Amino acid sequence: MFQGLSEKLQETFKRLKSKGKLTEADVNEAMREVRMALLEADVNFKVVKDFVAKVKERSIGQEVLESLSPGQQVIKIVNEEMVALMGGVSSKINISSKPPTVIMLVGLQGAGKTTHGAKLANMLKKQGKHPLLVACDIYRPAAIKQLEVLGDQIKVPVFSLGQENPVKIALASLEHALSQGLDVVIIDTAGRLHINEELMGELKDIKAAVKPHEILLVVDAMTGQDAVNVAESFHGDLGIDGIIMTKLDGDTRGGAALSVKAVTGCPIKFAGIGEKLDAIEPFFPDRMASRILG
Ligand code: GDP
């Protein structure tokens, strides 16, 4: 994960640490390298600009430059600003005090929506919840089957009404959950190859009907800034509460993970880190920054 970025930043940090005293020029040089490394990692241009400006502003004071270990101080500032960039604290899902909690998963085709519906259900089940997976992706018959197979693997019930209208399926699933004593409803909606009005219209209709407690957007980290653009569109059109960033296990760059909160204001709540059904973890900005900075 993020090997490219990590290696480059660690080289810069090594040089910083090896210097006893730092001048303003040393900091400027290091920040030039940090800027290059972030841009190569496909971090959003404006995010990089703001990030470097903040780190520089905090680093070029007498307090830092004249401290005992100025290199360490600068590295600490980079760490703190990177954590802040990703949202600071870990963001939890909003569990309703009145069950069922309704979670709506949205995203483009192939991002990992169906898989992450199952991963989320599996994780919540381990936490003592009783989830229900709902098949609202009616356009791809294989998607319904896929959800049923995944549900079977994790022993979580799947609600489906075949190719019926998705709003009707979503509403019926809430009644089903209530009657079965299931406390979290996870709705797998349809994806498309691209964002279009029809997709957004359908998602808005489902949102209006079921009033979800949480709309989570599933995006593929490996698509870099495209993932950030997708998040911006979904947030603008539909309004999302958080992001599930998938395929971080295969992401050598890290641009999407580092940019999306700053660009959209929406936090990453979960990270997908593999194909297996337990390969999901809450997203902790501080742990992520430590992974990158070493
Ligand atoms: P959907 O079209 O958005 O529902 O996408 P799927 O859930 O069908 O996932 C598309 C592909 O991505 C499948 O082959 C998944 O196994 C794979 N996938 C999903 N999440 C991850 C992840 O976090 N890591 C890896 N390596 N593969 C993933």
Side-chain angles (χ1 to χ4, degrees), residues 11 28 43 58 64 77 132 153 156 165 202 249:
E11 266 171 42
N28 283 335
V43 179
R58 289 183 59 194
V64 172
I77 293 169
L132 173 69
Q153 282 175 25
V156 165
N165 175 294
E202 181 177 307
D249 50 307

Side-chain angles (χ1 to χ4, degrees), residues 5-13 34 37 82 292-293:
L5 177 61
S6 207
E7 278 166 23
K8 291 225 171 62
L9 291 178
Q10 282 173 26
E11 266 171 42
T12 300
F13 290 172
V34 168
M82 197 172 268
I292 296 170
L293 302 178

Side-chain angles (χ1 to χ4, degrees), residues 107-117 119 137 140 143 146 150 188-189 191 218 220 222 245-250 271-276 279-280:
L108 296 184
Q109 222 171 70
K113 200 162 25 59
T114 307
T115 314
H116 281 77
K119 286 184 185 179
D137 184 356
R140 277 194 315 138
Q146 185 189 357
L150 294 173
D188 183 28
T189 63
V218 180
D220 176 347
M222 283 163 65
M245 182 78 52
T246 68
K247 309 188 194 181
L248 276 175
D249 50 307
I273 47 166
E275 291 195 64
K276 295 213 178 97
I280 185 170

Side-chain angles (χ1 to χ4, degrees), residues 7-51:
E7 278 166 23
K8 291 225 171 62
L9 291 178
Q10 282 173 26
E11 266 171 42
T12 300
F13 290 172
K14 214 156 112 195
R15 266 198 294 281
L16 270 180
K17 275 193 283 191
S18 69
K19 292 189 176 168
K21 276 247 160 273
L22 283 187
T23 63
E24 203 173 313
D26 291 330
V27 173
N28 283 335
E29 172 61 15
M31 286 310 117
R32 202 184 56 79
E33 289 172 14
V34 168
R35 182 172 166 276
M36 287 297 294
L38 291 171
L39 288 174
E40 274 173 36
D42 196 27
V43 179
N44 175 283
F45 181 75
K46 182 160 185 312
V47 171
V48 174
K49 204 165 150 232
D50 292 349
F51 177 83

Side-chain angles (χ1 to χ4, degrees), residues 46-65:
K46 182 160 185 312
V47 171
V48 174
K49 204 165 150 232
D50 292 349
F51 177 83
V52 170
K54 263 190 210 150
V55 175
K56 227 189 229 179
E57 191 192 312
R58 289 183 59 194
S59 301
I60 295 182
Q62 281 187 344
E63 221 175 286
V64 172
L65 294 184

